Amino acid sequence: MRSAVLIASLVSTSLALQLPFKVPFFQSSLAPEDDEPAAGSPKVAIVGAGAAGTSAAFWISKAQERFGVNIEVDVYEKTSHIGGRTITVYPHENNTLDPVELGASIFIKANKNLWRAAQEFNLTLQDFKGEQSEIGIWDGEQLLLRFTGGWWDTLKIIWRYGVMAPRRADSLVSEMLKKYSTLYTSDSPKWENITELAQSFGWMDLIENTGADFFTSHGVSKEYVFELIEAATRVNYGQNIDSIHALEAACSIAANGASQVAGGNWQIFDRFLNHSRANVYTDTKVTRVTQKQSKSRPWTVHSDKGAIGYKAVILAAPFHQTGIELPSALSSQIPEQPYVHLHVTLLTTTSPSLNSEYFSLSATDNVPSMLLTTYQGARQGRKAPEFNSISYHGKLNEDEWIVKIFSETPVEDKWLQSMFNGSVTWVHKAEFDAYPRLPPTSTFPPVKLESGFYYVNAFEPFMSTMETETVASRNVVDLLLNDEFQSSICGQRISASTKDAVSPEDDFVLGWDC
Ligand SMILES: Cc1cc2nc3c(=O)[nH]c(=O)nc-3n(C[C@H](O)[C@H](O)[C@H](O)COP(=O)(O)OP(=O)(O)OC[C@H]3O[C@@H](n4cnc5c(N)ncnc54)[C@H](O)[C@@H]3O)c2cc1C
Ligand SMILES: *[C@@H]1O[C@H](CO)[C@@H](O)[C@H](O)[C@H]1NC(C)=O
Ligand SMILES: *[C@@H]1O[C@H](CO)[C@@H](O)[C@H](O)[C@H]1NC(C)=O
Ligand SMILES: *[C@@H]1O[C@H](CO)[C@@H](O)[C@H](O)[C@H]1NC(C)=O
Ligand SMILES: *[C@@H]1O[C@H](CO)[C@@H](O)[C@H](O)[C@H]1NC(C)=O
Ligand SMILES: *[C@@H]1O[C@H](CO)[C@@H](O)[C@H](O)[C@H]1NC(C)=O
């Protein structure tokens, strides 16, 4: 008995389409008339409703709007939440208060899809509250540096590291961002192979070297690399500068002008889905995807709700965390991908600053409200920091502040009480497989595992952010539309010649404006 009959709880039209199955799996030769009737729209499944999956649905809907491409899209999400690693919580679980980001918090103006989406969906952007704080760099035993203002324009930094280090690092990052911005022009490459994308951008140097080797070999002083840039890689990716590749290290220090959506970044992803008109199945875990000989529906997606046939599947979650069983010809192409297991502790406190004593400061000396860390002390035989970062995120009310802690190990309540002078008023602890471990590499999983089966998160070990997942999904949707529907998000590139001279400052965003 085919498991297809189990789908009774799903849409009745898809049930109707499933019933005439007579074709055994992997039948070697298949006459067209043996295929199940291709009645109704071709269907595409998207697994995962985070940044990647929701934007994939949105990109497909753009082709539908523009060219009438006829596709029915089903989005599967195992939780009840839209947004994946982008999620908020209410302090004190009180939903009359402003929600706070627990996962992905910030994006920058160079992140053109998110920026544009926030505008188009009338969402309000607000400055990231940490921006104006005093920043301190803690090595586990001493505060090496404290400064306020932007990252780069501070005299203290120049005093400690010289003029050239920040300037050289800055220009390396600008160069990277300039290349990156071509991804939003009509000249953007389309890629099945991420190594080849890196080659075409001249980025092999960035992905094949650690941030430490790359920046020091380009003349950035060692102190600057191992203190300031490492502080950024540790807060953004939970990894040290001598283990993370230079591309992600460069992304970590490109955080100027960080913004977030008032009320939660996840709203962008919710709006992507609503605008896409896709069918969304929340609380529906995909367990298995099987393949059979069929022109119109070669892929069967098995979930709590049964089994449904699709023309194509977009996997939009880190494969090894999905628990999905794939044909081994597909799964064998995706190497094990460790992720950083991150502990996020969100709390409120009536203590206006951290315990000075812990940081060897005098009782009257306030601890900086944003503490970043370096591993450099530990490399020299001193104590390693007990946390990756601790930051005050503004006031909740007259007498309470919101604080966020990132750490590799769970934070004990006793430790919290000593850090906040016994005045913690609420705690919320969460754990994430937050980002891939990103050692230098020149190989990545394929973007297309097989004809009609695409893997958005192949991009994550290259760049891992909300925005880059929407860029990776745009590329995947273009490949899919091209392969299976002789179309693309922007149709034939008839208008390409008039758009050739797009500068990075231009408002033009590929996929939105075509
Ligand atoms: C604490 C933290 C801070 C971060 N800070 C930032 C930041 O400031 N800026 C930034 O840009 N990025 C940040 N990131 C990274 C960012 O969150 C990710 O790069 C991005 O959200 C990944 O999106 P995604 O859609 O690829 O994956 P996910 O968001 O992980 O979405 C995958 C979805 O698939 C679902 N799923 C998994 N398995 C199945 C299954 N079998 N069936 C159905 N559904 C399934 C999951 O439930 C999930 O909803 C941060 C991440 C964390 C954890
Ligand atoms: C939620 O917060 C509001 C505003 O501070 C407050 O008036 C209300 O009493 C709180 N509700 C609960 C259940 O604590
Ligand atoms: C956003 O607001 C503008 C102006 O008020 C309106 O025209 C537009 O329809 C709104 N867009 C959405 C997606 O709500
Ligand atoms: C999007 O659609 C879902 C499901 O229909 C709905 O619950 C949600 O409120 C919608 N969001 C917006 C912003 O319209
Ligand atoms: C710590 O709390 C005590 C009382 O609970 C208070 O007297 C003291 O001033 C606080 N110290 C700091 C640094 O906030
Ligand atoms: C991607 O391209 C590189 C360089 O051309 C090649 O070595 C590698 O095998 C390709 N990877 C995949 C998955 O095809």
Side-chain angles (χ1 to χ4, degrees):
M1 199 65 219
R2 302 295 303 262
S3 58
V5 295
L6 295 175
I7 62 165
S9 61
L10 275 183
V11 200
S12 60
T13 56
S14 42
L15 178 63
L17 292 172
Q18 293 286 322
L19 287 176
F21 274 151
K22 289 194 185 71
V23 188
F25 282 108
F26 305 116
Q27 180 176 310
S28 55
S29 80
L30 187 67
E33 59 269 26
D34 286 343
D35 203 348
E36 69 271 36
S41 310
K43 286 165 73 80
V44 169
I46 297 174
V47 183
T54 59
S55 59
F58 181 74
W59 295 125
I60 293 174
S61 74
K62 282 284 173 193
Q64 290 172 319
E65 262 169 43
R66 289 179 183 132
F67 311 109
V69 183
N70 179 25
I71 306 176
E72 192 182 331
V73 176
D74 290 347
V75 179
Y76 292 86
E77 169 54 52
K78 76 174 172 193
T79 69
S80 56
H81 168 67
I82 302 300
R85 277 168 270 170
T86 307
I87 185 166
T88 52
V89 290
Y90 292 103
H92 298 287
E93 278 85 39
N94 182 336
N95 64 12
T96 68
L97 303 174
D98 289 339
V100 182
E101 298 288 355
L102 192 62
S105 303
I106 54 172
F107 53 94
I108 59 175
K109 202 165 181 188
N111 293 163
K112 293 193 177 190
N113 289 332
L114 296 183
W115 205 268
R116 180 63 174 268
Q119 283 175 346
E120 298 253 344
F121 303 154
N122 293 337
L123 298 169
T124 309
L125 289 180
Q126 63 190 21
D127 288 346
F128 173 54
K129 291 204 183 82
E131 278 281 279
Q132 274 78 43
S133 355
E134 187 190 13
I135 298 173
I137 296 186
W138 170 247
D139 80 350
E141 290 189 9
Q142 44 183 323
L143 266 179
L144 300 180
L145 174 73
R146 45 199 300 175
F147 56 97
T148 44
W151 270 87
W152 312 116
D153 50 5
T154 139
L155 280 175
K156 277 189 186 162
I157 291 180
I158 292 172
W159 181 254
R160 187 172 178 95
Y161 305 108
V163 182
M164 289 318 289
R167 215 178 263 176
R168 285 198 178 114
D170 214 6
S171 93
L172 291 165
V173 171
S174 307
E175 215 174 287
M176 183 277 289
L177 280 178
K178 202 169 145 203
K179 258 291 180 259
Y180 173 79
S181 69
T182 63
L183 289 169
Y184 300 99
T185 69
S186 334
D187 292 330
S188 171
K190 294 187 173 54
W191 60 92
E192 289 189 14
N193 180 319
I194 294 166
T195 309
E196 284 168 9
L197 174 69
Q199 280 167 348
S200 77
F201 276 4
W203 281 0
M204 293 310 283
D205 222 19
L206 284 163
I207 58 173
E208 289 183 326
N209 289 292
T210 63
D213 288 343
F214 177 84
F215 283 105
T216 53
S217 73
H218 283 82
V220 182
S221 72
K222 210 170 161 231
E223 292 72 25
Y224 191 79
V225 170
F226 282 93
E227 292 175 13
L228 252 187
I229 303 184
E230 182 159 87
T233 60
R234 284 173 60 85
V235 66
N236 284 312
Y237 290 110
Q239 289 159 79
N240 293 334
I241 192 69
D242 55 0
S243 60
I244 194 170
H245 64 61
L247 182 59
E248 279 300 60
C251 289
S252 304
I253 52 174
N256 267 344
S259 292
Q260 52 185 203
V261 175
N265 294 326
W266 64 271
Q267 295 170 102
I268 291 181
F269 308 123
D270 187 52
R271 299 298 195 283
F272 273 152
L273 282 186
N274 287 32
H275 281 77
S276 78
R277 292 166 309 169
N279 308 312
V280 182
Y281 303 126
T282 50
D283 298 304
T284 306
K285 182 179 174 181
V286 173
T287 53
R288 198 153 60 98
V289 179
T290 53
Q291 191 179 12
K292 66 178 171 8
Q293 292 234 343
S294 158
K295 270 212 174 60
S296 60
R297 288 156 196 275
W299 302 100
T300 306
V301 171
H302 304 255
S303 72
D304 311 350
K305 301 238 159 87
I308 303 181
Y310 293 94
K311 190 170 179 72
V313 175
I314 296 176
L315 177 55
F319 170 62
H320 300 286
Q321 292 165 33
T322 60
I324 296 175
E325 191 188 317
L326 287 185
S328 65
L330 276 69
S331 59
S332 63
Q333 297 175 60
I334 314 176
E336 269 312 315
Q337 176 59 65
Y339 270 65
V340 172
H341 191 75
L342 189 75
H343 293 261
V344 179
T345 306
L346 202 60
L347 59 90
T348 57
T349 174
T350 52
S351 179
S353 78
L354 286 155
N355 181 348
S356 319
E357 206 183 316
Y358 179 92
F359 297 96
S360 311
L361 300 174
S362 73
T364 52
D365 201 355
N366 271 354
V367 180
S369 59
M370 178 182 274
L371 279 177
L372 306 179
T373 56
T374 167
Y375 198 69
Q376 192 57 352
R379 287 189 193 95
Q380 294 163 356
R382 296 199 297 278
K383 202 178 150 208
E386 293 183 292
F387 54 87
N388 293 353
S389 64
I390 302 183
S391 45
Y392 272 70
H393 283 264
K395 285 192 111 165
L396 179 64
N397 53 43
E398 287 290 282
D399 20 63
E400 282 180 283
W401 284 264
I402 299 167
V403 179
K404 194 189 276 184
I405 303 175
F406 287 170
S407 59
E408 286 164 25
T409 52
V411 167
E412 305 294 335
D413 292 339
K414 220 174 89 195
W415 188 84
L416 283 181
Q417 292 300 353
S418 84
M419 287 301 257
F420 295 93
N421 193 23
S423 60
V424 173
T425 47
W426 169 80
V427 186
H428 181 96
K429 294 178 184 174
E431 294 175 40
F432 291 94
D433 284 316
Y435 355 80
R437 292 219 168 267
L438 299 154
T441 184
S442 57
T443 59
F444 300 92
V447 172
K448 178 173 156 185
L449 298 176
E450 178 55 285
S451 178
F453 196 108
Y454 304 84
Y455 183 36
V456 185
N457 295 63
F459 207 74
E460 264 203 89
F462 184 61
M463 295 176 122
S464 173
T465 65
M466 296 182 283
E467 173 73 12
T468 46
E469 288 302 280
T470 70
V471 171
S473 76
R474 190 197 70 207
N475 178 65
V476 153
V477 167
D478 260 338
L479 295 179
L480 180 154
L481 292 173
N482 185 64
D483 293 346
E484 307 290 333
F485 299 92
Q486 292 73 52
S487 182
S488 75
I489 297 168
C490 290
Q492 306 311 313
R493 296 178 59 191
I494 21 181
S495 62
S497 58
T498 61
K499 283 288 182 187
D500 270 349
V502 179
S503 72
E505 289 75 37
D506 202 302
D507 283 344
F508 179 89
V509 184
L510 182 62
W512 296 85
D513 302 304
C514 283

